[in-house]
Amino acid sequence: MADYRKMWRDMGLNMESHDQLLEALPPTYHDAYLTQNNRPASMEYFDFVVNEIHGLRVQELQEHKAGGGKVIGTFCVFVPEEIIRAAGGICIGLCSGIEIGTAEAEKVLPRNICPLIKSFMGFKLAKVCPYFESSDMVVGETTCDGKKKAFEILNDYVPVYVMETPHMKKERDWQLWREEVRDFARHIEEFTGIGISASSLAQSVREANEKRRALRRLSELRKCDPAPVSGKDCLLIEQIAMYDDVVRFTAKVNELCDELDKRVETGSGVFPAGAPRVLVTGTPMAIPNWKIPHIIETSGAVIVAEELCTGLRYFENEVDEQGTDMDAIMDNIAQRYLGINCAVFTPNTGRMERLLQLVKEYRVDGVIHCALSFCNSYAVEANRVEKVLRQENIPLLKIETGYDQEDTGQLKTRIEAFVEMIKE
Amino acid sequence: MYAGIDIGSRTICFAVVSGDQVIHSKITDTGFEPVKTARSLLKGNYEKIVATGYGRHAAVSDFADNVITEIKAHALGAVFLFPGARTVLDIGGQDTKVILLNDGGSVSDFQMNDKCSAGTGKFLEIMSGALGYAHLPEFAEKSLSGRSGVKISSMCTVFAESEAVSLLHRGIKREDIGIALHSSVVDKAAGMLVRVGFKAPLVFTGGVANNHCIVKLLSERLGVEVLVPPQPQLVGALGAALSGRKNI
C-alpha cells in the first residue's frame, strides 16, 4: 500500500487510533478470506480494494472534493444513490461492522444499543474513519428508532439530512415517499450546487441498474451445485458495492462472473457438490463483519444467498428505465426503493414470501436468521420468519449476536450442530 | 474398537465401544492442557477416534480422526441407552442444551444457551462454594431437605451468588437457599424445554444430571419421568464413539 499518512493527517484523523484500527483488520481478513480453497482469480480486485480500504478510494474521494465535488455518506439501502450521483456527488455507505470508539460512543449513547449504531457513532467521535471524515454531509432515515434518534446526536458532529421512510405500504405512504424522494433531490441539488436534469438522472439510474444486474448475475451463478464462489466472497463484494466507484465496480463484478461461468461449465466449485446449502437472512453485515458467515463456511456448509441489506435487498429490484421526463423517473426511483422488504415495515409479508421463493430457487437446506443484538425490528420479526418456515418444514437457526467475539465458541457449536442436522 | 472423547469445559470423558458394548470409560478433570490430558487417556489401537465438546477441533488437529458436536453426540448416546427417546436435556459445565429427536432418533431441532453460563454446572459449583459445602453431592443432598419459599431472582452467576450470601446474612437456612438455587436452574432448563415443545421420553445427560435434587425438581416441574443414565456425563463420549462406528 502506498503511504497515505499525510492524507490521513490532513483529513484530521486520530492517527494513533487509526493505526490500531488498521492493525486489527489484516489478520481477520487473512483468516477469513485468504485461506479459502479454490478462490476465483478475479477476487484479486476485491482483495486489492480491502487492502486499500483507507487508501486509494479515499484518495479518489479527496480528489473529487478538491475539484469542488461533494461526498455524501449514507447508512441505509433506502437512500437513493441515483439522486446523489445525478447531482455530481459521490455516495458512500458508512455502516461499519467493527467495535471501535465504544467508550467515545457511550458518552452520547446508551450502553445497550445496536452495535451498528454504536459503531458509526464511535467511528465519528473517535475520528478514525476516512470515509466519514470525507463526507460533507450524511443522510439518515427514519427506519428504526435507534438510528432515528442517533441521527439527532450525530448532527452535532456532521450535517445530517433525514429522509422520512414510512412504516407501512398504504397508498398514503407511497405518496409520502414520492414526496420525500423529490425533497431529497432538491436538498442535494442545493447542497452540491449542481442541478439534476432528466438526462443526468436517467444516466445515474442506468448505471445503478447495471451494478444491480451484475450483482444479480453473480447471485444467479450461486444457484449451481457446487457453488462456484463462496458466500463470504459474495458478502465482501456486496459490502464493497456500498462505497466503490459504480462503473468500475460493475465491470469487475462482471469479470468475476465471466470466470464463474467457465467454472460452472466444468463443474468446478469452492465446496464439494452436495455440500449443505444455507440462506442467511436478517440484519445487515457491514464491512468487516464476517463473523457468522466465516463460522458457517468453516463448518462444512456453503452460503448460497444473503437476504440482507448487504445482499439481495440492495440489488434485487431495479428502477424502471421506461420514464424519460423528470417526474416519471422520480416516481420510478421511489417505486423501486419502497419495494425493499425491511423489518421496520408492518406487516412485512413481502419478506416472508420472498424467503420461501429463495429457499426453492437456491435449493436451500436450511436458513440462518442473524439479528444484531438489540435490533428489535429483526429480532421480533424472526418469529414471523420461523412461523412460515416451520409450515414448510424448512430448518431454521436463530442467532442474536454483536460485533464482539466472546460468543464464538457457542456459536460454532450451534452452527455446526445445525449443519449436521440439515445434512442428514 | 471405536473411541469417543468429549473435551468439555470441566471434564474430559472417554468411552470405547466394541460391537454393542461399552468396554472402557474414564472421566478426568480438564485441567490446563486439555489436548495433552485427552491424549493420555488413549490406550491401544482404535479403528476411529471421534472428538466432541469444546476441545473437539483442537483434538482433531492433534490425534482425533473426526469431530461431531456435543448436540449430535448426546443425541446418539441417549438413543443408544434409551431407544425411543424423543428429547435430550444436557447440562454441562458451561452450557445447557435441549435436543429434540425424531422417530428415527435423529436431531430435528435444538436450543442452546447463549454466551452466558447461567443455570449450568458452573453455576451450581460456585453456589455450593458460596454456601460452604465441601462438594457438589453434599450441596445437592442437603438442599433436598430444604423448604421451598425462598426465591433467587437473578439468573446471573455473579449476582445470584451475592443474593445467596445476603440471604445467609439474613439468617435463612442454607438448605432453604440451596433448594432455591436448584429451583432456579430447573426453571431455566424447564423454560427451554417448553419453548421447543419437548416430548417424553426425556433423557437427562451431562454432569448436572448426577444432581438428585435437580432431577427430582425437574421431574416435578414437568410432570414426566426424567431418565438418567448411570454415568450421565459419559453420554457425549459414548455418542462420539458410536458415530465413528456408524461412519465406517
Side-chain angles (χ1 to χ4, degrees), chain A residues 144-395:
Chain A
C144 70
D145 288 346
K147 278 168 98 185
K148 186 172 76 185
K149 299 307 288 182
F151 289 133
E152 293 174 22
I153 302 171
L154 189 63
N155 192 45
D156 289 348
Y157 307 93
V158 57
V160 181
Y161 177 88
V162 177
M163 292 186 82
E164 184 175 353
T165 43
H167 288 173
M168 294 182 89
K169 291 182 183 176
K170 296 181 187 170
E171 182 40 45
R172 60 171 169 265
D173 299 305
W174 286 97
Q175 188 51 40
L176 167 80
W177 181 242
R178 285 191 285 265
E179 287 168 24
E180 276 296 315
V181 168
R182 285 175 172 82
D183 285 353
F184 178 60
R186 275 190 289 272
H187 185 84
I188 293 293
E189 281 179 315
E190 234 167 75
F191 190 77
T192 63
I194 298 172
I196 299 174
S197 67
S199 74
S200 71
L201 192 55
Q203 187 188 336
S204 69
V205 163
R206 205 161 44 243
E207 286 169 355
N209 276 346
E210 275 160 16
K211 170 166 70 174
R212 293 178 186 123
R213 271 172 225 144
L215 288 165
R216 271 211 315 278
R217 184 180 164 204
L218 177 61
S219 281
E220 287 294 317
L221 285 157
R222 298 167 72 190
K223 290 180 177 172
C224 301
D225 183 27
V229 60
S230 71
K232 266 192 289 186
D233 276 331
C234 292
L235 174 63
L236 180 71
I237 292 166
E238 289 149 1
Q239 291 169 334
I240 289 173
M242 306 279 171
Y243 68 91
D244 200 7
D245 176 80
V246 176
V247 176
R248 177 178 58 207
F249 172 85
T250 305
K252 292 294 177 184
V253 174
N254 279 318
E255 267 174 42
L256 170 67
C257 292
D258 292 341
E259 183 187 348
L260 299 185
D261 278 339
K262 294 200 191 83
R263 282 191 165 201
V264 169
E265 275 170 31
T266 59
S268 162
V270 286
F271 288 86
R277 298 165 69 83
V278 167
L279 169 81
V280 170
T281 180
T283 44
M285 294 178 182
I287 198 164
N289 179 12
W290 308 302
K291 179 175 165 179
I292 300 288
H294 182 55
I295 298 177
I296 295 171
E297 294 201 328
T298 50
S299 299
V302 55
I303 301 167
V304 291
E306 302 82 29
E307 196 273 321
L308 304 174
C309 298
T310 47
L312 288 159
R313 277 180 225 138
Y314 177 68
F315 57 83
E316 255 201 321
N317 44 7
E318 55 186 64
V319 177
D320 190 340
E321 290 179 28
Q322 290 306 313
T324 47
D325 64 285
M326 189 69 111
D327 235 23
I329 306 175
M330 286 289 180
D331 281 348
N332 289 342
I333 289 174
Q335 182 78 19
R336 185 262 157 198
Y337 280 87
L338 206 58
I340 298 169
N341 296 317
C342 174
V344 297
F345 288 98
T346 185
N348 192 26
T349 42
R351 179 171 172 227
M352 310 308 141
E353 288 157 16
R354 190 64 191 125
L355 280 172
L356 291 179
Q357 287 166 356
L358 291 171
V359 166
K360 282 202 185 77
E361 287 172 20
Y362 288 80
R363 292 179 281 165
V364 167
D365 298 305
V367 176
I368 299 188
H369 191 286
C370 306
L372 285 170
S373 326
F374 311 110
C375 175
N376 282 340
S377 310
Y378 278 92
V380 175
E381 194 168 281
N383 170 276
R384 302 290 86 186
V385 172
E386 186 170 23
K387 192 178 172 198
V388 297
L389 294 184
R390 209 170 271 262
Q391 278 164 358
E392 302 290 322
N393 279 320
I394 300 158

Side-chain angles (χ1 to χ4, degrees), chain A residues 413-414 417, chain B residues 69-75 97 99 107 110 112:
Chain A
T413 302
R414 289 173 66 192
Chain B
T69 63
E70 302 92 289
I71 290 163
K72 189 174 178 183
H74 279 266
K97 303 176 185 87
I99 308 158
V107 178
F110 62 90
M112 185 175 152

Side-chain angles (χ1 to χ4, degrees), chain A residues 406 410 414 416 420-421, chain B residues 54 56-57 69 72 95:
Chain A
E406 63 187 23
Q410 266 109 342
R414 289 173 66 192
E416 269 183 44
E420 283 172 349
M421 190 177 94
Chain B
Y54 268 82
R56 63 189 183 280
H57 290 290
T69 63
K72 189 174 178 183
D95 284 326

Side-chain angles (χ1 to χ4, degrees), chain A residues 70-86:
Chain A
K70 299 286 185 199
V71 175
I72 292 161
T74 63
F75 299 95
C76 181
V77 297
F78 273 97
V79 178
E81 61 170 292
E82 292 88 345
I83 289 175
I84 294 171
R85 297 188 64 243

